[in-house]
Amino acid sequence: MRGYTRWVPRSKSKLGDWHEYATERLREAGYHKGGGRERVVGLLAGKSCAVSALEIDAELNGVGRATVYRALDQLEQLGLIRRIELGLDSTGFEKVGPQGHHHHHIVCSNCGKVIPFEDQPLEKAIRAIAKRSGVSLESHDVTLRGTCTGCD
Amino acid sequence: MRGYTRWVPRSKSKLGDWHEYATERLREAGYHKGGGRERVVGLLAGKSCAVSALEIDAELNGVGRATVYRALDQLEQLGLIRRIELGLDSTGFEKVGPQGHHHHHIVCSNCGKVIPFEDQPLEKAIRAIAKRSGVSLESHDVTLRGTCTGCD
DNA sequence: GTATGTGCAAAGGCTTTGCACACGT
DNA sequence: ACGTGTGCAAAGCCTTTGCACATAC
């Protein structure tokens, strides 16, 4: 089938330049460099899919948990990352590319596996809804849940 | 424009029979009747859009908060309601009709206003994605965020 | 030198759990 | 009577805040 759906790699990043893009945006925003925030940015740059604040904290020795939360807050406000709810108590964060490039997720309700994807008809439908509503669309989240092929 | 988008009334319920539908399903599942859970069901029956656990607790005098959370848990497991994240720390619950009938939301990032809607092209795109992925779709959430017409 | 950034620990807020009593069956 | 349901209070967990010290500018 010639589908419109693109299955996004979960670990390799398509946004290879996100790291410098984010660094530049942070600098423009007047943030000082060096320290915990940069390590958070570096870690996020290496992940293409959602990571939780606690996971980041666990991977970053020497960086305080509060710093992680503060950095995520700042990055989100600059639109460099977005916050998504995949499980029921996870709250993941993942980077957003220069043109708002992002993907959505399918979550297996049995094993928790996450399948990231991009889909044009879906995006088109969403843009149409926003247009009809009169709302100027800033962001959107889509999450599908079901049993994956390995859990049938 | 002849759109496919249907703007769902926020207070009047299209699922007028949800109350008895839910009651019947609870009975089948072996739950005893009478008490806090029924008051939670009654309250949810009167709302067509999301309500938070704390809002329910506040509206139901004499019903303990733990009972509210427990009831919501049970209703969710029976597929009678679904859990959605509209704001950043709200966690809303809203009923799901007999055939899985539900709607999605547009949230104004400025005033917090919630606009519920139904849209066929969107649902179609989602079904297509699920089919291509091989996942047997159980549920899905879609949330749009932006500035509403009143906040321009 | 001054403002920003950071780590640690304490505080907050929503949600869950323990336990004894009340109620439905 | 027995097991389920409930309220209250305490505990849990993620997240935020306060504060003194360190670092960037």
Side-chain angles (χ1 to χ4, degrees), chain B residues 32-33 53-54 65-66 69-70 90-91:
Chain B
H32 293 186
K33 64 171 292 193
L54 263 29
R65 186 164 296 183
Y69 280 105
R70 283 189 279 241
S90 49
T91 308

Side-chain angles (χ1 to χ4, degrees), chain A residues 32-33 54 65-66 69-70 91:
Chain A
H32 293 186
K33 65 170 293 193
L54 262 29
R65 187 164 296 182
Y69 280 105
R70 283 189 279 239
T91 308

Side-chain angles (χ1 to χ4, degrees), chain A:
Chain A
M1 184 202 296
R2 210 184 82 256
Y4 297 88
T5 312
R6 174 172 179 270
W7 309 106
V8 179
R10 291 180 58 204
S11 42
K12 290 179 187 167
S13 173
K14 192 199 165 195
L15 281 44
D17 53 354
W18 181 86
H19 197 153
E20 70 181 81
Y21 160 64
T23 303
E24 176 62 14
R25 293 268 307 166
L26 284 166
R27 194 186 59 70
E28 285 170 9
Y31 287 107
H32 293 186
K33 65 170 293 193
R37 178 171 42 235
E38 299 220 321
R39 297 196 46 201
V40 172
V41 171
L43 189 151
L44 283 166
K47 317 263 181 183
S48 69
C49 203
V51 204
S52 75
L54 262 29
E55 284 168 344
I56 295 174
D57 179 60
E59 287 195 44
L60 261 34
N61 269 322
V63 177
R65 187 164 296 182
T67 298
V68 172
Y69 280 105
R70 283 189 279 239
L72 290 172
D73 235 42
Q74 297 157 345
L75 291 167
E76 188 189 14
Q77 289 201 24
L78 288 176
L80 295 168
I81 59 174
R82 64 200 195 104
R83 181 187 301 252
I84 54 178
E85 314 282 340
L86 294 184
L88 279 67
D89 40 77
S90 49
T91 308
F93 296 86
E94 62 188 21
K95 51 192 178 188
V96 173
Q99 284 81 41
H101 189 87
H102 66 282
H103 58 254
H104 298 296
H105 308 83
I106 304 177
V107 183
C108 177
S109 44
N110 184 246
C111 68
K113 182 172 136 186
V114 175
I115 306 168
F117 70 88
E118 292 169 18
D119 188 82
Q120 289 316 314
L122 176 68
E123 300 296 328
K124 191 180 166 188
I126 286 171
R127 282 194 300 269
I129 294 162
K131 190 175 179 185
R132 287 185 198 119
S133 73
V135 168
S136 69
L137 193 61
E138 285 162 8
S139 68
H140 60 274
D141 301 319
V142 178
T143 306
L144 278 60
R145 291 176 222 287
T147 311
C148 76
T149 51
C151 289
D152 284 336

